[in-house]
Amino acid sequence: MNGSARAVGRGLLFISPWLAGFCGLTLGPALLSAWYSLTDTTLLDPPVYTGLSNFRRMWSDSLFWIALRNTLVFAAMNSIGVTAGSLGVAVLLHRAPARVAALARAVIFLPTVVPVVTACACWMWVFNPRFGILNSALTAAGATGGPDWLGDSRFALASLGFMSVWVIGSPLLVAGAALREVPRSLLEAAAIDGLGSGGRLWHVTLPAISPALMFNGLMALIWSLQLFGPPLIMTRGGPEHATLSYSMYVYLCAFSYGDMGYACALAWVQLALTLALSAAVLVVGGRFVRYRTT
Amino acid sequence: MSADDGNRGARAGRGRLWVCAALAFVTAAYAAPLLNMVAVSLRQASSAATPGLDPLPMIRDASGRSLARTSAAYWSTLGLDAARNYRDVWSGPGSDFPTYLRNSMLVALPSVAGAVVSSCLAAYGFARLRWRGREVLFLILLATLMLPQAVLMVPQYLLFRSAGLVGTFAPLWLPSCMAGAFSVFLLRQFFRTIPAELDEAARIDGCSHLGILWRVIVPLSRPAIALVALLQFVASWNDFLGPLLYLNHQDRYTLTLGLHLYLAQQNQVPWNLVMAASAITMAPVVVVYAFSRRFFTEGAATQGLKE
């Protein structure tokens, strides 16, 4: 190569916007956060080194365990619901006539671009126990009213999980693209072997698109472990901490209680948990994923 | 043989009918919350809180009789009610939606411009230049895609605070000018599909690398660049955590934060106005989406995932 030092300099110059952002807004803050997690830091006083006491404190912090549990439950509901839901809708779109599918896709994608605050306002009204369309639909179907979805600690978290399946635009695109790539020859061969449409879906299509499903599941998992907006806006973590999410607890510790050091320690545990769960999904799910060898 | 064909055709037709019916149900379920929001935003406060699935309210005239849906009076009253709701939100006390709208623009537009320019430069460096260390840095870039933002919430806040930028728009648009990892990834994948002979021809003609980027790569990458711009616009417009952390005066609030404040006052604000405010907040993104739907749902959105 001609003048490798010059080439490196030129390359770095072109990527410098990203490099500056990475150093200044990701790497730097990450190192800072690692340091703060070992200290007692408030907005007013300089940090005081306290070793691992922030991490030990979590063990006996009941709100930490509640937030962790809520987030894991939500993550399970969301990643399964979004992955399976987007697959189901993608199969329907794939089989429908092109014009019908285009219209349906446009509508189903819309919630993905709607601001989260708007979505929350919208769904607060849907979930309203007396006037909401959910309970109205239940009444119309013959039930005698429905529960107070967001106000009852037994239903609040499940309601947020239900609502979160409304946003499936990105996984829908990924699953749809994968469905279009399934080789026709395979499907035709399976049909000649006497497989019905259900059998073809299970034995041919699902294995062929399994990498896309894995990708969707992983992205939904990472995203849902960061749940923040809906519980803050719709329920403020209540009732009785039933919807207090992990990110919301980090936010409250840092900005309501001013406990920056503890918030940073919580955030590192969240990162470790995200990595561990992602790895677990990759390993366990990997047994079912068939990567094409081309 | 032909009977069998006819049988199969009938079964396929019935199958297609089932698919269309199921799809219609799913589509209606996805549209219902937003349609419901718009329907409530058109009503009078007194009829906003009525149970039932009927999207249109019952409207009574001065003597208390309910107006027929077919009458002109019904629709003119509905139209006047709707106009009053939106006017009340737009110029109501305690909130300032015209200012929120301006602030959202002041955040979103610099974000889009900064994201496009910086991502194009970085993607060119990763896609078209050969240099040592390129692959390692690109792997690091991909790794940052997986990093939960919550981890960086506190230290980023403290950094912007020590720079004296809390309360300004800078913490909201400045990070966008630092070439977001996903935008760079998307553009790099697109740039790599452009034949290298075009670069070489331009170089022989004496073009610099910036010239190649500007005259050769960018004109050929318009769909991918449009997608980056659109995604950045939607992300900036819809951002909630950023404004919540960094904006502390109501005259700096963006639409999402303004709506949050409005929602928090829901005991004082009737729901028909909350719904009208929600509709105003999402209107700009919905308009952008309506005109550029193809970029979102087709085209380059899944381009990068094929590799």
Side-chain angles (χ1 to χ4, degrees):
Chain A
M1 286 280 96
N2 54 337
S4 81
R6 271 194 60 196
V8 170
R10 194 166 52 212
L12 289 177
L13 195 63
F14 268 89
I15 68 155
S16 60
W18 172 76
L19 206 56
F22 174 71
C23 295
L25 294 171
T26 304
L27 189 62
L31 294 175
L32 215 55
S33 169
W35 159 242
Y36 286 144
S37 73
L38 302 173
T39 65
D40 187 358
T41 305
T42 62
L43 273 179
L44 303 173
D45 307 313
V48 178
Y49 179 75
T50 54
L52 292 172
S53 76
N54 281 329
F55 293 92
R56 275 198 295 272
R57 189 174 137 195
M58 285 174 213
W59 191 255
S60 52
D61 178 359
S62 62
L63 281 181
F64 161 78
W65 292 106
I66 292 172
L68 182 63
R69 176 198 157 272
N70 289 343
T71 304
L72 291 177
V73 170
F74 176 84
M77 289 190 293
N78 176 265
S79 21
I80 295 170
V82 163
T83 310
S86 62
L87 171 66
V89 175
V91 168
L92 286 177
L93 288 172
H94 190 65
R95 291 191 176 175
R99 283 187 157 185
V100 178
L103 180 68
R105 193 182 293 116
V107 173
I108 295 169
F109 195 87
L110 184 58
T112 305
V113 297
V114 165
V116 65
V117 190
T118 306
C120 289
C122 211
W123 278 85
M124 282 167 85
W125 193 244
V126 169
F127 284 133
N128 186 295
R130 284 172 63 207
F131 312 117
I133 49 173
L134 194 56
N135 280 356
S136 297
L138 285 178
T139 310
T144 51
D148 183 357
W149 296 103
L150 296 174
D152 186 328
S153 57
R154 289 170 301 167
F155 295 108
L157 189 61
S159 300
L160 295 187
F162 180 71
M163 168 188 157
S164 73
V165 182
W166 196 46
V167 180
I168 57 167
S170 318
L172 189 60
L173 295 183
V174 173
L179 281 175
R180 280 192 290 277
E181 303 266 303
V182 177
R184 278 194 95 85
S185 55
L186 274 182
L187 290 168
E188 280 158 11
I192 290 166
D193 287 348
L195 276 175
S197 65
R200 285 199 297 270
L201 184 66
W202 184 255
H203 292 290
V204 180
T205 307
L206 278 185
I209 66 169
S210 55
L213 296 182
M214 175 63 123
F215 177 82
N216 281 346
L218 208 57
M219 286 297 136
L221 178 72
I222 292 173
W223 179 86
S224 57
L225 288 172
Q226 301 182 62
L227 171 71
F228 178 74
L232 186 84
I233 296 162
M234 298 170 79
T235 55
R236 294 177 206 172
E240 295 138 38
H241 303 307
T243 56
L244 180 73
S245 77
Y246 199 99
S247 290
M248 199 182 153
Y249 188 51
V250 174
Y251 169 83
L252 289 177
C253 283
F255 299 102
S256 292
Y257 316 145
D259 207 341
M260 300 282 176
Y262 190 49
C264 287
L266 284 170
W268 278 101
V269 170
Q270 185 178 18
L271 177 64
L273 197 74
T274 306
L275 291 178
L277 283 175
S278 304
V281 166
L282 276 172
V283 169
V284 175
R287 295 182 183 183
F288 302 98
V289 174
R290 312 246 176 100
Y291 291 100
R292 224 183 309 162
T293 46
T294 42
Chain B
M1 189 70 197
S2 70
D4 188 40
D5 272 1
N7 213 348
R8 198 180 294 163
R11 207 185 307 153
R14 229 176 308 137
R16 179 165 285 193
L17 205 64
W18 273 112
V19 165
C20 285
L23 203 53
F25 177 77
V26 172
T27 308
Y30 270 77
L34 290 173
L35 289 179
N36 181 52
M37 179 183 90
V38 174
V40 173
S41 78
L42 305 178
R43 296 178 192 173
Q44 291 176 6
S46 59
S47 66
T50 44
L53 290 172
D54 191 347
L56 292 172
M58 192 202 286
I59 299 180
R60 296 177 188 283
D61 64 9
S63 59
R65 276 179 304 133
S66 71
L67 293 168
R69 296 267 161 96
T70 47
S71 67
Y74 179 89
W75 291 101
S76 67
T77 315
L78 189 69
L80 287 175
D81 288 345
R84 190 183 317 116
N85 287 349
Y86 282 86
R87 205 180 51 224
D88 283 356
V89 169
W90 192 247
S91 54
S95 60
D96 190 355
F97 278 88
T99 302
Y100 301 158
L101 181 70
R102 193 202 63 192
N103 292 342
S104 279
M105 289 287 181
L106 287 177
V107 170
L109 297 181
S111 296
V112 170
V116 166
V117 172
S118 62
S119 310
C120 278
L121 287 171
Y124 185 84
F126 280 122
R128 302 304 259 197
L129 299 176
R130 285 166 179 278
W131 44 285
R132 276 169 68 104
R134 184 180 76 163
E135 308 304 323
V136 176
L137 284 172
F138 192 69
L139 277 179
I140 294 175
L141 178 136
L142 288 182
T144 63
L145 278 174
M146 309 286 254
L147 194 68
Q149 280 306 301
V151 174
L152 303 172
M153 178 166 69
V154 172
Q156 278 185 356
Y157 177 85
L158 293 175
L159 276 180
F160 280 118
R161 188 169 170 272
S162 62
L165 293 173
V166 168
T168 71
F169 294 137
L172 305 178
W173 59 260
L174 204 59
S176 314
C177 302
M178 308 284 200
F182 185 69
S183 306
V184 175
F185 173 67
L186 210 130
L187 287 177
R188 170 192 179 261
Q189 300 303 88
F190 200 92
F191 287 179
R192 279 160 61 104
T193 62
I194 297 169
E197 293 83 48
L198 292 178
D199 295 25
E200 280 150 26
R203 277 204 77 69
I204 290 164
D205 289 349
C207 234
S208 67
H209 280 289
L210 271 181
I212 295 172
L213 174 61
W214 180 245
R215 300 216 176 91
V216 180
I217 306 286
V218 166
L220 289 171
S221 309
R222 284 209 191 104
I225 292 171
L227 183 69
V228 165
L230 287 167
L231 290 176
Q232 184 62 51
F233 178 78
V234 170
S236 295
W237 193 270
N238 294 356
D239 187 18
F240 172 64
L241 180 59
L244 184 70
L245 288 180
Y246 292 111
L247 302 179
N248 41 24
H249 279 290
Q250 205 186 331
D251 55 1
R252 289 284 174 115
Y253 277 16
T254 58
L255 271 175
T256 52
L257 199 58
L259 179 62
H260 177 59
L261 180 72
Y262 208 63
L263 261 176
Q265 306 165 335
Q266 57 177 292
N267 294 329
Q268 293 107 55
V269 180
W271 269 98
N272 56 338
L273 298 190
V274 170
M275 291 295 144
S278 306
I280 289 173
T281 304
M282 75 166 192
V285 263
V286 172
V287 169
V288 167
Y289 171 69
F291 283 103
S292 54
R293 193 169 48 76
R294 285 176 181 283
F295 285 111
F296 284 103
T297 59
E298 288 156 34
T302 50
Q303 182 93 30
L305 300 167
K306 283 183 183 160
E307 215 166 290

